[in-house]
Amino acid sequence: MNVKAINNVSFVNFEGKTKKSENRKQEHDYPQQTDPASKNSARALRNMMYGLMLLGASVGAGSLTSCEDWGPHASAHAEAWSWAYGIGGGCDKNDTTIIHDTIINTIIKPIYVKEYPFHLADSIINQGLNIGVELDGPVPEDDNNDVAFVASKAHNRYDDKYYETQVDSVGTNRNRLALVTKVLDFYEDPENPKTSWIRTEVSDVPGKGIKLTRYMSNSAKKPEEWQWNYAGYEIRTNNRNGQTNTKSVFDNNNELIWKGEYRRGENPGTFMYGTFVYDGNGDPYLDEDGEPQKAYYDFDKAKMWSDRVTLEKIPTGTSSTFVD
């Protein structure tokens, strides 16, 4: 997801900071080609699969910028072929969001992943739909599900933060969905928002919903692996009532510290989200009584993107089109 804005600019996962406010309520087997790939080809495939970054990604010398670039014909000089899921439909998805006087142009680029947890996409998308988040793309089906969660966005009106989340190929497999959220903080300086990041690893909790393990970083650029700070996790449950989803919050010591919900707003794309307030190290702020501080955030501009994907044969080897 590339972000361009005139002023220098997981729904899935959100974090906040303390401020005074009168309104706050304190492994799949894939078919192989007949001719086995060489070791170099296999290594190139692995590098491609796990090396592509979603936020601000480029693929080799260029980017997948049009539908015509998608698919096997994009490189005719590959030494071997392999299989991967194509997410994003082969076309850039474009979206515009206005925060104050800043126009944020979002470009969501298609990617390949070796495996994808469709059951987790089902949960994420339907939890969003349950509280009124707009979906651009297909809704997962009960049988033969081939719908992927691709990206999402939301604006926190309480803290004046804008969140953009997209699937990260690094860490995504058949049992886990890795997401990276870029956070733009407009509160102190609307013309020069600060940047921070959230990494979320989504997994299944049978009978309860999904688990979102969170890591945070105040890095200006997408963090390196060592820059993430563990911030605990949440268990989220779809109440399937068209109004609320329930969540249980665990701190970075893995202790249950709060149960709450996020609730559908009056207008489409709006919702209220109750959570603890964390600092940059992933520790919850404490109130005057030494208790973790809670806040209810008012969100708008919430939207999700999904895509119906297929298993694609992709070139590997020496081609620079797909290997970064």
Side-chain angles (χ1 to χ4, degrees):
M1 181 182 292
N2 291 341
V3 182
K4 298 180 180 179
I6 59 176
N7 287 327
N8 196 32
V9 181
S10 205
F11 146 71
V12 174
N13 212 1
F14 307 105
E15 54 87 23
K17 60 184 178 183
T18 302
K19 298 186 182 75
K20 294 181 180 180
S21 173
E22 295 179 358
N23 297 325
R24 188 174 68 190
K25 302 178 180 180
Q26 297 290 94
E27 271 181 2
H28 286 311
D29 292 325
Y30 295 100
Q32 300 296 319
Q33 292 296 92
T34 301
D35 296 328
S38 66
K39 291 184 179 179
N40 289 338
S41 297
R43 185 180 301 110
L45 171 64
R46 184 178 64 251
N47 291 340
M48 183 276 297
M49 291 299 182
Y50 295 103
L52 295 183
M53 295 295 100
L54 271 291
L55 298 175
S58 63
V59 185
S63 299
L64 299 175
T65 56
S66 69
C67 300
E68 288 72 21
D69 289 331
W70 186 256
H73 68 275
S75 174
H77 300 94
E79 293 180 347
W81 298 79
S82 190
W83 294 85
Y85 286 110
I87 299 177
C91 304
D92 289 357
K93 299 179 185 299
N94 297 279
D95 183 75
T96 299
T97 304
I98 300 177
I99 306 294
H100 303 299
D101 294 328
T102 299
I103 301 174
I104 304 173
N105 296 315
T106 300
I107 303 174
I108 307 168
K109 291 188 173 296
I111 64 160
Y112 289 117
V113 293
K114 186 177 181 180
E115 297 176 324
Y116 190 88
F118 293 101
H119 62 296
L120 296 176
D122 183 308
S123 295
I124 291 172
I125 292 170
N126 280 294
Q127 285 195 13
L129 293 174
N130 188 55
I131 59 170
V133 177
E134 175 189 355
L135 177 65
D136 184 346
V139 178
E141 301 173 358
D142 292 335
D143 298 321
N144 300 318
N145 184 23
D146 58 355
V147 174
F149 171 84
V150 177
S152 65
K153 70 170 186 177
H155 174 235
N156 179 346
R157 289 185 285 193
Y158 175 90
D159 262 352
D160 206 5
K161 290 185 177 182
Y162 178 67
Y163 301 81
E164 287 189 327
T165 298
Q166 189 167 347
V167 175
D168 195 339
S169 58
V170 176
T172 292
N173 56 45
R174 62 180 177 178
N175 297 315
R176 181 178 64 197
L177 182 61
L179 307 170
V180 172
T181 301
K182 184 175 185 178
V183 185
L184 299 178
D185 185 351
F186 291 87
Y187 186 82
E188 294 181 355
D189 187 352
E191 295 186 357
N192 297 285
K194 295 180 180 179
T195 300
S196 61
W197 302 83
I198 304 171
R199 179 176 177 83
T200 305
E201 296 178 354
V202 186
S203 56
D204 188 32
V205 183
K208 294 184 179 180
I210 54 177
K211 177 181 179 180
L212 296 92
T213 304
R214 306 190 309 173
Y215 302 85
M216 300 171 61
S217 176
N218 288 325
S219 172
K221 297 181 179 179
K222 185 177 178 181
E224 301 292 340
E225 182 178 356
W226 55 270
Q227 293 178 298
W228 294 108
N229 296 301
Y230 177 59
Y233 66 94
E234 298 180 3
I235 303 295
R236 297 188 182 179
T237 304
N238 187 348
N239 293 334
R240 303 181 186 277
N241 57 8
Q243 292 295 326
T244 64
N245 296 324
T246 301
K247 67 188 184 72
S248 300
V249 181
F250 296 77
D251 63 14
N252 55 3
N253 292 315
N254 300 324
E255 296 182 357
L256 177 64
I257 54 177
W258 190 57
K259 287 186 177 181
E261 64 183 18
Y262 44 111
R263 177 179 298 274
R264 178 190 290 263
E266 294 183 1
N267 299 316
T270 64
F271 62 93
M272 295 290 293
Y273 184 90
T275 188
F276 280 92
V277 186
Y278 295 93
D279 62 21
N281 294 320
D283 297 314
Y285 283 105
L286 304 180
D287 60 21
E288 57 272 15
D289 298 321
E291 297 296 325
Q293 197 160 38
K294 296 186 288 286
Y296 285 86
Y297 296 130
D298 185 11
F299 287 88
D300 64 357
K301 306 182 188 302
K303 184 176 181 179
M304 302 179 291
W305 286 267
S306 65
D307 176 46
R308 194 176 302 280
V309 306
T310 57
L311 197 60
E312 300 277 352
K313 281 195 300 185
I314 61 171
T316 63
T318 59
S319 169
S320 62
T321 304
F322 288 93
V323 180
D324 190 4

